[in-house]
């Protein structure tokens, strides 16, 4: 289908342009687009036998193993080792390369892997590209401790979310979905977020949130493990912002 072809094309360009031939540590994200990233890595024809691939969850680990690649869990990365590159998908990407992530409920491990990488390569077909986050993808995925979930729902409403909800499993299993950490996912709708052009145009008064500010406010709610907002930055300025790779800590 043309969507699958678009994902495959995006993955091929991303790997061709951003996979270091001498890569030794590579982060592998979750979802369906990442399948084509691994396919493109295999097609590169480089020697991958000395390369460690760090998964971002159960499905990501199976993808690495089924491709005959070496999977090394995040807690087995030697202290001080920064991954050469991390590839991952996204649910939506704005003009500043900010991302909404977590549609696949893997956002926590995706974020720690992204933050431990020199570069974070987001692989997304054109459906994902919007000027502002929360335009097409309507909610922020948030990973929370089950026991605190209802309190977090109430706190999110105080931040302006309308009808945030605990994500239930889409399979016959009734009740909340559990992440690889055994936590719940809350999906919290918010109005479209501001990008840097909006801020430059003085649109801050509209009551809409700026990406970093919303991410920080949600992260500070007791019971929240991680938030599916990745603050996008590329290039050397990312490091000056304190991010290990192309991601600022939020
Ligand atoms: O959960 C995530 O953030 C994933 O990267 C995911 O949502 C992207 O999935 P897709 O490649 O299947 O669209």
């Amino acid at each position: 289908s043309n969507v699958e072809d678009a994902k495959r094309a995006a993955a091929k360009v991303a790997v061709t342009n951003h996979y270091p031939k001498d890569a030794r540590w590579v982060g592998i994200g979750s979802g369906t687009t990442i399948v084509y990233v691994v396919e493109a890595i295999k097609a590169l024809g480089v020697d991958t036998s000395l390369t460690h691939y760090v998964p971002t969850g159960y499905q990501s680990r199976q993808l690495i193993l089924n491709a005959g690649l070496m999977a090394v869990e995040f807690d087995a990365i030697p202290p001080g080792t920064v991954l050469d590159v991390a590839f991952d998908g996204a649910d939506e990407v704005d003009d500043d390369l900010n991302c909404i992530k977590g549609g696949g409920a893997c956002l926590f491990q995706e974020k720690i892997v992204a933050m431990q990488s020199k570069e974070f390569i987001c692989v997304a077909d054109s459906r994902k590209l919007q000027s502002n986050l929360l335009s097409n993808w309507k909610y922020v995925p948030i990973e929370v401790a089950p026991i605190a979930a209802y309190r977090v729902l109430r706190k999110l409403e105080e931040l302006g979310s309308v009808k945030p909800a605990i994500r239930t499993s889409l399979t016959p299993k009734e009740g909340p979905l559990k992440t690889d950490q055994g936590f719940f996912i809350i999906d919290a709708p918010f109005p479209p977020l501001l990008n840097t052009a909006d801020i430059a145009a003085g649109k801050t008064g509209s009551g809409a949130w700026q990406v970093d500010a919303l991410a920080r406010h949600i992260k500070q709610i007791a019971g929240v493990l991680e938030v599916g907002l990745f603050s996008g930055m590329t290039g050397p300025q990312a490091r000056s912002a304190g991010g290990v790779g192309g991601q600022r800590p939020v």
Side-chain angles (χ1 to χ4, degrees):
S1 78
N2 58 1
V3 167
E4 295 311 305
D5 294 345
K7 291 178 183 179
R8 179 178 276 116
K12 192 165 172 49
V13 167
V15 167
T16 305
N17 295 348
H18 297 286
Y19 187 93
K21 296 290 177 282
D22 59 350
R24 284 292 173 270
W25 289 89
V26 177
I28 298 294
S30 305
T32 60
T33 307
I34 197 70
V35 174
Y36 299 115
V37 167
V38 173
E39 184 183 273
I41 290 171
K42 296 285 288 180
L44 271 181
V46 298
D47 175 12
T48 55
S49 63
L50 298 176
T51 308
H52 308 81
Y53 295 86
V54 182
T56 51
Y58 181 82
Q59 178 236 21
S60 169
R61 176 176 163 75
Q62 294 309 312
L63 176 64
I64 293 167
L65 294 175
N66 293 339
L69 300 172
M70 182 168 36
V72 176
E73 291 300 305
F74 186 82
D75 58 356
I77 300 173
T81 297
V82 178
L83 309 189
D84 299 295
V85 62
F87 292 92
D88 202 348
D91 300 304
E92 197 159 85
V93 185
D94 75 5
D95 291 350
D96 303 319
L97 290 183
N98 297 309
C99 302
I100 297 174
K101 288 178 62 49
C106 296
L107 66 104
F108 169 68
Q109 291 192 38
E110 290 172 338
K111 188 169 275 190
I112 57 176
V113 168
M115 296 301 284
Q116 196 57 32
S117 304
K118 287 185 192 103
E119 267 202 320
F120 175 74
I121 307 301
C122 177
V123 188
D125 61 84
S126 58
R127 294 171 307 150
K128 314 293 183 68
L129 306 181
Q130 301 286 338
S131 287
N132 301 81
L133 292 186
L134 297 175
S135 298
N136 183 40
W137 190 278
K138 297 294 186 188
Y139 48 76
V140 178
I142 303 157
E143 184 154 349
V144 300
I147 199 158
Y150 283 96
R151 177 185 184 277
V152 174
L153 285 175
R154 287 194 301 277
K155 291 292 180 186
L156 288 166
E157 287 172 334
E158 289 171 22
L159 291 180
S161 181
V162 176
K163 291 196 176 45
I166 295 169
R167 191 181 299 178
T168 55
S169 167
L170 303 179
T171 59
K173 175 199 171 299
E174 289 309 311
L177 166 147
K178 285 223 170 174
T179 69
D180 292 314
Q181 287 65 245
F183 273 33
F184 287 172
I185 294 286
I186 285 176
D187 291 313
F190 281 95
L193 303 183
L194 300 174
N195 59 35
T196 47
D198 296 327
I199 292 162
K203 287 186 184 171
T204 46
S206 65
W209 285 94
Q210 197 270 335
V211 176
D212 283 354
L214 180 58
R216 272 196 307 275
H217 277 79
I218 296 174
K219 188 74 182 284
Q220 282 162 0
I221 302 170
V224 169
L225 175 65
E226 196 48 80
V227 187
L229 290 174
F230 281 41
S231 164
M233 276 178 78
T234 53
Q237 80 276 16
R239 291 158 186 75
S240 64
V244 166
Q247 291 294 333
R248 266 181 290 177
V250 285

